[in-house]
Each structure stands twice: as structure tokens, then as C-alpha cells.
Amino acid sequence: MDEKQYLSVDGNSASGDVEALVRERVHSLYYDRDVNCARTTMLCLGELLGFHIEEQTYAAAVGMHGAGGFRAQCGLVEGALMMLGAYFGAKGVADGERVDMCRRFAGQFRSRFGSLRCLELRPGGFNEWDPPHLCEELTVKSILFVYEFMAEEERRLEGANR
């Protein structure tokens, strides 16, 4: 996976620098490496959080871009859900709690972006002549949204363990 060039950010910082780094990284992954949206989401979040993504997990996301182009659930959502499961699983969060976390995430994502479906989220819909990675700006916003959601979940879990 030569796509990995880790962002040099503190996982606890949500400064404007994070947005600039995510924006730069998304553009590079999309246009220099042709990485799909789910993998881009996973790589950026893994880098921000200092979390290693296993090869098998990365490989599993190969078709997660609107369900392999079927235009169903958005790869931005799919990649985020995989990261929630993997990251919080590695932290010892029980399966049931992670399922609830994914449900909360999906509800908040839909509230923020209007849908979970690639067909509805993609700017201008789909055309045969669409440029690759038309969703670059949406991807940046989504990754920042997921990053903040994960930080909120960390704080919630820490508060529950006190």
C-alpha cells in the first residue's frame, strides 16, 4: 500500500491545519493514486488517528464506492463504518456498543449530508462523462465530520468509564 504517507498531525487536534492536510491528502489519493472513496476515508482517518489499517481490511474496501459503482450506499459511509468498527474494536469496545455507535453515526451523517446513498450524495448525480472523483469536496467534509464524530465518541466513552 504505497498510498500511505502519514499525515503529521496530532490525533487530538482538530485545527484548521487538519482540514488543509485532509484536503491535500484526499486530492493526492484521488488524482495521483486513483484510490476509491472508502479507502481514502479509511487511510485519512487512520493517519489522523495514528491507527494502522491492516492489509486485509484495506483490501476489503476495494469495491466500496457506491457498492462497487452500483450507486447504493456511499463509500464515504462504508469506509467510515469500517473505521468505527476497527478502531473502537481495537480499543476494546464491545460489539453491541460499536453497532450502536455505527447507528448513531449513520443517523448523524444522514442528518448532516442528507443521505447515505452515493446516488443522492454525488454532486450532479451520475453521467457517463463524469470526471473521476467528482466527490472530492464532499469527501473532505465527510472525513472531517467522521473525525469529529470519532473524537466525540472517545470523549463519551471516557466519560462513561469514570
Side-chain angles (χ1 to χ4, degrees):
M1 265 191 305
D2 65 2
E3 289 92 15
K4 286 190 176 183
Q5 297 170 356
Y6 286 94
L7 296 172
S8 56
V9 295
D10 171 36
N12 297 318
S13 170
S15 69
D17 291 344
V18 170
E19 180 177 350
L21 289 167
V22 168
R23 186 171 300 285
E24 178 182 316
R25 189 69 167 120
V26 166
H27 185 81
S28 174
L29 288 168
Y30 274 1
Y31 289 94
D32 297 339
R33 309 280 185 187
D34 196 29
V35 176
N36 74 23
C37 50
R39 285 177 160 184
T40 295
T41 296
M42 292 168 58
L43 287 172
C44 288
L45 290 169
E47 293 166 3
L48 287 169
L49 298 164
F51 182 75
H52 174 73
I53 299 164
E54 298 293 332
E55 282 290 329
Q56 289 175 322
T57 304
Y58 184 78
V62 70
M64 293 184 173
H65 51 283
F70 192 67
R71 303 172 181 155
Q73 183 165 283
C74 178
L76 300 173
V77 175
E78 294 168 330
L81 291 170
M82 286 183 71
M83 280 301 293
L84 286 168
Y87 180 77
F88 286 104
K91 290 187 164 282
V93 176
D95 287 356
E97 177 60 27
R98 285 183 287 140
V99 169
D100 291 343
M101 188 182 294
C102 287
R103 186 176 297 114
R104 282 191 301 278
F105 168 77
Q108 289 181 28
F109 188 96
R110 186 177 53 210
S111 292
R112 168 68 172 83
F113 295 101
S115 180
L116 300 174
R117 297 185 63 217
C118 187
L119 179 65
E120 296 165 352
L121 291 169
R122 188 170 169 89
F126 286 89
N127 297 296
E128 293 303 316
W129 56 88
D130 280 347
H133 310 302
L134 186 61
C135 297
E136 183 174 0
E137 184 62 28
L138 176 62
T139 301
V140 171
K141 290 177 181 175
S142 172
I143 290 169
L144 294 171
F145 175 80
V146 179
Y147 183 58
E148 183 55 37
F149 177 87
M150 292 177 80
E152 289 174 15
E153 288 297 311
E154 291 255 22
R155 289 188 292 271
R156 185 185 63 75
L157 290 168
E158 286 173 6
N161 291 330
R162 289 184 188 173

